[in-house]
Amino acid sequence: GAVVSQHPSWVICKSGTSVKIECRSLDFQATTMFWYRQFPKQSLMLMATSNEGSKATYEQGVEKDKFLINHASLTLSTLTVTSAHPEDSSFYICSARGSGYIYNEQFFGPGTRLTVL
Amino acid sequence: GQQLNQSPQSMFIQEGEDVSMNCTSSSIFNTWLWYKQDPGEGPVLLIALYKAGELTSNGRLTAQFGITRKDSFLNISASIPSDVGIYFCAGRTSTHGSGNTGKLIFGQGTTLQVKP
């Protein structure tokens, strides 16, 4: 149980283009989803928190117009990196949290490696 | 802001040895979690701790929630090559079942390498 998937697992794009990353909870309903980015040899940095049907809450320093988050259903959240630049290259990981004793914890997806040329 | 100090930063051990790592904070947490991250993958939840003093095992892994609620440790017994990876502690101030509305604060990670 508590399986979270991400798609794509890796993506290479040209500078200036937009990239969409999907995060799905496969066997539970995620009332809250989180988006993190991770640079090599570093810890996870929370970018934003989203509740289904509500606007995402962004962490300080994260541009909401650049990192668009949509949590349209209880099993799907998307992160769109708009007008990507090389400095946006990173490992993006989503996390989902459901309800009930077992699923009321953060379970992570496998991550998406974004490389911007 | 809240910070977690995780140590050691890295460990290189022989297969079969026991491993211990810990996290400390100046703040009180009501939830402690331990995750393992393999290269190129997302973190996988190993153990969740919700009560001060709680000692929980998951196979060869044992973790404890410090009585002061400001620390936690993770032990791995009889290490094997597949234990290689980065281990993260994470703390949260909200209690389990209260909606877990708090954010997770992550430690810097402990990189474990096991020599066969």
Side-chain angles (χ1 to χ4, degrees):
Chain A
V3 180
V4 178
S5 70
Q6 274 183 248
H7 178 81
S9 56
W10 59 271
V11 57
I12 301 173
C13 69
K14 291 183 179 179
S15 185
T17 61
S18 294
V19 174
K20 179 184 283 188
I21 302 170
E22 291 186 350
C23 176
R24 294 181 185 272
S25 56
L26 299 185
D27 54 356
F28 67 102
Q29 293 185 324
T31 50
T32 308
M33 284 191 172
F34 307 82
W35 287 94
Y36 294 81
R37 66 188 298 184
Q38 185 180 33
F39 292 106
K41 298 186 186 296
Q42 293 190 21
S43 189
L44 289 78
M45 185 188 81
L46 179 63
M47 300 174 66
T49 302
S50 73
N51 292 299
E52 185 262 340
S54 304
K55 288 185 178 180
T57 301
Y58 290 81
E59 294 300 300
Q60 192 173 10
V62 178
E63 299 175 60
K64 62 180 181 179
D65 294 329
K66 180 168 186 61
F67 298 100
L68 301 178
I69 291 172
N70 184 279
H71 191 168
S73 77
L74 285 172
T75 59
L76 173 65
S77 176
T78 61
L79 167 68
T80 301
V81 183
T82 62
S83 187
H85 290 286
E87 57 266 28
D88 297 323
S89 298
S90 188
F91 192 51
Y92 292 87
I93 314 172
C94 73
S95 173
R97 184 176 70 207
S99 58
Y101 193 84
I102 295 176
Y103 296 111
N104 195 0
E105 205 43 89
Q106 281 196 39
F107 298 95
F108 286 83
T112 297
R113 173 76 58 194
L114 170 63
T115 302
V116 185
L117 302 177
Chain B
Q2 295 173 312
Q3 285 186 320
L4 290 183
N5 297 311
Q6 186 172 349
S7 65
Q9 186 176 1
S10 63
M11 303 180 74
F12 190 91
I13 62 170
Q14 196 77 32
E15 182 178 1
E17 290 183 352
D18 297 342
V19 173
S20 183
M21 59 191 78
N22 69 83
C23 270
T24 60
S25 173
S26 57
S27 303
I28 288 175
F29 288 93
N30 289 306
T31 298
W32 284 94
L33 307 171
W34 284 92
Y35 289 89
K36 182 194 177 196
Q37 185 178 29
D38 290 329
E41 298 288 332
V44 173
L45 182 61
L46 299 174
I47 293 179
L49 302 161
Y50 300 116
K51 295 180 182 178
E54 180 181 358
L55 184 71
T56 298
S57 294
N58 179 5
R60 294 178 295 106
L61 278 60
T62 302
Q64 184 159 29
F65 191 141
I67 197 71
T68 64
R69 292 190 286 163
K70 294 182 178 181
D71 63 329
S72 176
F73 71 74
L74 174 71
N75 286 341
I76 305 174
S77 62
S79 58
I80 59 178
S82 62
D83 291 334
V84 165
I86 303 176
Y87 292 79
F88 289 100
C89 64
R92 183 172 54 230
T93 55
S94 62
T95 54
H96 189 58
S98 66
N100 276 355
T101 55
K103 294 183 294 188
L104 280 181
I105 308 297
F106 279 86
Q108 301 92 336
T110 296
T111 300
L112 177 64
Q113 295 177 291
V114 180
K115 184 178 181 181

